[in-house]
Amino acid sequence: MSKFDDIRSFDDCEVNEAVKSIVRHPMMKALMNFTFPETDEKIWSENLKETHSIHDFQKNFISHTIRKILETSSQGLTHSGFDQLDKNTAYLFVSNHRDIILDTSLLNLILLENGHVMTASAIGDNLVQQTFLHKLAKLNRNFLVQRGLPLREQLKSSKLMSEYIFQLLFLENRSVWIAQREGRTKDGNDSTQQGILKMLAMASEGISLAEFFKKVKIVPLSISYEYDPTDVLKMPQLLAKHNDEIYVKAKDEDFNTMMSGVLGQKKRIHLHAGKVLESEYDEIATQYDHKNRQLQAIAQVIDDSIIQNYQLWPTNFIAYDLLHETHQFSKNYTEKEKQLFERRLEMRIDVSDDVLKEGFLAMYANPVINKMKYENL
């Protein structure tokens, strides 16, 4: 028994039993038939039953699934910055968050193909309520972020997660991925919640924040999709926010969003690993005495890296020009690309609804607006 049992992923000694328990599940069959359409079910089924580690499960099965997703619903994955990372070092990737499944899956595919330490990744327990999804998440080295707890339980849960991340990084030499905020960014504005850093810092007992975060080795990760496959699914929540209403998710909304993210068209995708944060902490410690001000400043440094290294696509520039009724960035896209984006807009929302239209365009335009604060585009 471990105090982390409620949130941790499977240990390798548990993998074979877990795999065998879901190998006949209809969703596993659908997943494997999608991944290996030319392979007889008996073959992949027997191969699965011989799997005894998370690494083998990810390498021999899930990595092929992700490649198939890229093949069928994207125009390719590119990356940069990873050559600056040491292949045997564990890092904490703090990332902007666009897609529930793909953000971490694409990162791990890049890490696997380039010989780096793959990550354990945080996922909200609300997303894995079904037994099959829960087991699949744990087989992919996901650990659970407990949602919807009373305040006192939240603090206890945050402390536990902080200790677990500390154990992964320093005792198991396992990289970790966490989103910079709770939930996916809906409006294209990527900003780091101070609470995420405060949770991490709960494991910093006995040393300064600067020394702790130096040990943690934060790598800001910028993820950008040319098309957000879940863009239209984010609109009801943005509409509720505009109307100052409380948004209540539908029963199967999270699952439908996950499936749309996997199957929907994404066009080009780029991931950039920023420089490991290090000297910044000393400057922040010198500048600010108060812990909260230091955490605010660290969050800003992460934001600076994510926004500046975010890959802008023609869709972002088109949305900016449409939103502001200008041709400022027309050199960054073709007329055909603009027509295709306008067609997508018309097919996905009621363009006569100004609030919907503005929200949809802003989702794509905001990364341009944010990047303009740092450089002339």
Side-chain angles (χ1 to χ4, degrees):
M1 289 289 289
S2 156
K3 65 178 178 180
F4 303 123
D5 281 350
D6 287 343
I7 65 169
R8 68 174 177 84
S9 60
F10 285 126
D11 292 329
D12 282 346
C13 63
E14 301 168 314
V15 166
N16 189 249
E17 182 183 342
V19 169
K20 286 179 176 177
S21 72
I22 60 173
V23 71
R24 294 179 181 275
H25 193 283
M27 290 178 76
M28 180 56 93
K29 287 185 178 183
L31 187 67
M32 290 298 101
N33 286 331
F34 167 78
T35 305
F36 305 112
E38 307 297 324
T39 305
D40 188 89
E41 184 177 318
K42 187 177 180 182
I43 294 173
W44 61 249
S45 179
E46 289 304 313
N47 289 339
L48 271 171
K49 291 174 186 176
E50 294 301 315
T51 301
H52 292 271
S53 72
I54 287 180
H55 182 272
D56 286 350
F57 181 71
Q58 291 183 306
K59 180 182 177 183
N60 298 331
F61 299 96
I62 297 304
S63 68
H64 293 281
T65 304
I66 302 308
R67 290 187 190 102
K68 197 71 177 178
I69 290 168
L70 290 171
E71 179 189 320
T72 56
S73 65
S74 84
Q75 291 179 7
L77 170 67
T78 54
H79 60 83
S80 52
F82 290 88
D83 56 339
Q84 302 299 309
L85 303 179
D86 181 77
K87 293 187 176 183
N88 299 309
T89 298
Y91 297 101
L92 176 64
F93 292 93
V94 179
S95 164
N96 64 329
H97 192 20
R98 289 290 191 272
D99 188 86
I100 294 167
I101 292 177
L102 286 183
D103 289 354
T104 54
S105 299
L106 295 172
L107 170 62
N108 277 313
L109 182 64
I110 292 167
L111 295 175
L112 173 67
E113 291 182 344
N114 290 276
H116 289 271
V117 176
M118 289 195 288
T119 69
S121 304
I123 188 170
D125 62 358
N126 57 303
L127 302 174
V128 290
Q129 295 293 318
Q130 296 179 33
T131 302
F132 171 79
L133 293 177
H134 189 198
K135 288 186 177 181
L136 188 63
K138 292 176 72 171
L139 283 167
N140 277 290
R141 208 177 263 113
N142 290 124
F143 59 92
L144 300 183
V145 180
Q146 296 169 310
R147 304 282 197 216
L149 297 174
L151 184 59
R152 184 178 293 181
E153 291 299 310
Q154 278 180 32
L155 292 171
K156 188 177 173 183
S157 175
S158 293
K159 183 80 164 66
L160 185 70
M161 189 160 65
S162 178
E163 291 173 3
Y164 184 57
I165 290 172
F166 188 90
Q167 174 176 299
L168 289 166
L169 289 168
F170 301 116
L171 300 182
E172 300 181 23
N173 196 45
R174 171 64 53 195
S175 289
V176 173
W177 176 95
I178 60 169
Q180 65 179 164
R181 47 169 291 150
E182 182 179 325
R184 292 166 301 128
T185 303
K186 307 297 191 302
D187 60 5
N189 285 315
D190 297 313
S191 60
T192 303
Q193 288 177 341
Q194 190 179 328
I196 300 293
L197 299 176
K198 193 174 285 188
M199 176 275 293
L200 292 169
M202 286 180 168
S204 68
E205 295 169 0
I207 60 173
S208 69
L209 273 184
E211 291 306 310
F212 174 74
F213 280 111
K214 277 184 193 175
K215 286 181 67 177
V216 165
K217 293 185 176 65
I218 288 179
V219 175
L221 182 69
S222 307
I223 304 176
S224 62
Y225 298 83
E226 189 167 6
Y227 277 163
D228 181 342
T230 62
D231 49 19
V232 71
L233 299 179
K234 295 174 180 176
M235 296 315 299
Q237 200 161 342
L238 288 172
L239 199 58
K241 184 180 178 181
H242 177 271
N243 294 330
D244 202 23
E245 298 170 352
I246 295 172
Y247 181 73
V248 181
K249 286 184 180 179
K251 183 184 175 186
D252 295 319
E253 185 170 330
D254 287 329
F255 180 74
N256 291 335
T257 298
M258 285 192 281
M259 293 308 296
S260 295
V262 167
L263 301 174
Q265 177 56 238
K266 293 159 272 290
K267 295 193 80 175
R268 291 171 289 183
I269 309 165
H270 188 80
L271 273 68
H272 178 88
K275 292 180 180 176
V276 183
L277 302 188
E278 191 170 8
S279 61
E280 294 88 349
Y281 302 124
D282 292 328
E283 296 166 18
I284 288 168
T286 303
Q287 198 171 355
Y288 303 106
D289 292 328
H290 197 277
K291 186 175 177 180
N292 279 341
R293 293 299 300 275
Q294 290 181 8
L295 290 172
Q296 272 181 341
I298 294 169
Q300 187 59 57
V301 170
I302 294 170
D303 290 351
D304 292 345
S305 176
I306 289 174
I307 292 169
Q308 290 180 82
N309 291 307
Y310 186 95
Q311 173 72 52
L312 294 174
W313 303 108
T315 49
N316 301 116
F317 294 114
I318 293 164
Y320 180 95
D321 280 357
L322 290 173
L323 185 63
H324 295 92
E325 299 180 343
T326 180
H327 300 287
Q328 183 175 345
F329 292 110
S330 58
K331 67 181 185 299
N332 298 98
Y333 55 84
T334 65
E335 189 59 34
K336 184 179 180 183
E337 286 171 329
K338 184 179 181 182
Q339 288 171 358
L340 285 171
F341 184 79
E342 287 179 318
R343 186 161 177 261
R344 180 182 180 86
L345 177 69
E346 290 164 3
M347 289 176 68
R348 293 176 88 79
I349 64 162
D350 177 3
V351 290
S352 66
D353 186 321
D354 290 339
V355 174
L356 273 180
K357 185 177 179 180
E358 185 176 323
F360 190 95
L361 291 174
M363 187 190 307
Y364 284 93
N366 280 332
V368 177
I369 295 168
N370 292 332
K371 204 161 188 173
M372 288 168 72
K373 297 170 187 172
Y374 298 90
E375 59 186 273
N376 291 321
L377 299 176

